[in-house]
Amino acid sequence: MSEIPENKKTKYRGFTPAQAEAHKRYMKDFVEVKVRMKVEKRTIIQEHASKMGESTTAFINRAIDEAMKRDKPINELNSAAAPPAEANPIKPLAAEPEQTATPLPESEPDKHCKLLTEDAENNVNLVKLLADVNYQLDIEEAYGFETLRALLDKARQQESEREEAVEENTTPMSDLNKSDT
């Protein structure tokens, strides 16, 4: 094995004690969360974050924040049964007026995305869109974030309408028992 020439050796000797202490103070405010996913999905997420000009960690944190904001109506329903505020250390999100996404006007499409035509919109699988993050990323890449958001709103609305229709057409078990007698 050959020796590394003296002029090529690094002078880096690791953190100085002061740097190590500063790093320790900085990191005390953070925790690490381990998430398992397939390599392909991690690559897709990393590429998407890069396209958005942010780190993977920043993108994941933003995605979590946006999901929690979208889930706020569910949280409000659950908070009705929550213990009194002094017993619940988690503060609810501040109430915001209900907002619905609308597609971008045809005159202002995303610069790097194509316009979603009516035919293309009819070919979007809204059930899959709600369940498949990779499908969402594909739609976002092709048509832009605002269009994706409008399609997700439409998918959620259709899902809600389907659930209401199922509830209306379901006969309670107590009614079935009465008809047997």
Side-chain angles (χ1 to χ4, degrees):
M1 200 165 204
S2 64
E3 287 269 331
I4 299 175
E6 195 63 38
N7 63 348
K8 296 288 183 181
K9 287 185 179 178
T10 180
K11 296 190 187 327
Y12 180 74
R13 301 288 180 246
F15 276 174
T16 66
Q19 288 172 323
E21 181 59 34
H23 181 73
K24 184 177 176 182
R25 280 194 316 269
Y26 173 78
M27 292 303 292
K28 75 176 171 84
D29 293 335
F30 297 94
V31 294
E32 289 188 14
V33 177
K34 191 178 237 182
V35 178
R36 288 185 175 82
M37 63 183 73
K38 300 238 180 205
V39 173
E40 298 83 19
K41 186 172 184 178
R42 181 186 65 185
T43 303
I44 290 169
I45 292 170
Q46 289 171 330
E47 289 172 357
H48 179 77
S50 177
K51 287 178 188 174
M52 300 305 290
E54 59 191 343
S55 70
T56 304
T57 300
F59 168 70
I60 291 170
N61 281 317
R62 180 171 60 85
I64 290 168
D65 291 342
E66 289 177 5
M68 289 172 58
K69 188 174 181 180
R70 273 194 318 271
D71 294 345
K72 189 179 94 180
I74 294 169
N75 292 339
E76 288 173 351
L77 289 174
N78 293 338
S79 67
E86 61 272 11
N88 188 359
I90 300 172
K91 294 183 177 149
L93 297 173
E96 294 180 14
E98 184 68 28
Q99 296 179 358
T100 57
T102 55
L104 290 174
E106 289 187 28
S107 60
E108 300 177 22
D110 287 350
K111 302 218 183 321
H112 68 283
C113 301
K114 57 187 175 183
L115 186 63
L116 181 67
T117 63
E118 189 174 331
D119 287 340
E121 183 175 352
N122 291 335
N123 289 328
V124 173
N125 182 337
L126 296 177
V127 173
K128 181 178 179 182
L129 187 65
L130 287 175
D132 188 343
V133 173
N134 291 330
Y135 190 55
Q136 292 175 12
L137 291 173
D138 291 342
I139 298 292
E140 189 270 336
E141 186 174 333
Y143 299 107
F145 180 74
E146 292 298 321
T147 301
L148 170 64
R149 188 165 50 176
L151 287 169
L152 284 168
D153 286 345
K154 181 178 179 180
R156 288 185 193 104
Q157 180 64 35
Q158 282 186 5
E159 181 181 47
S160 175
E161 290 169 0
R162 272 194 302 275
E163 288 173 356
E164 288 174 9
V166 167
E167 288 175 8
E168 289 175 5
N169 292 330
T170 304
T171 305
M173 289 301 290
S174 59
D175 290 349
L176 289 175
N177 292 336
K178 290 177 187 173
S179 65
D180 290 342
T181 56

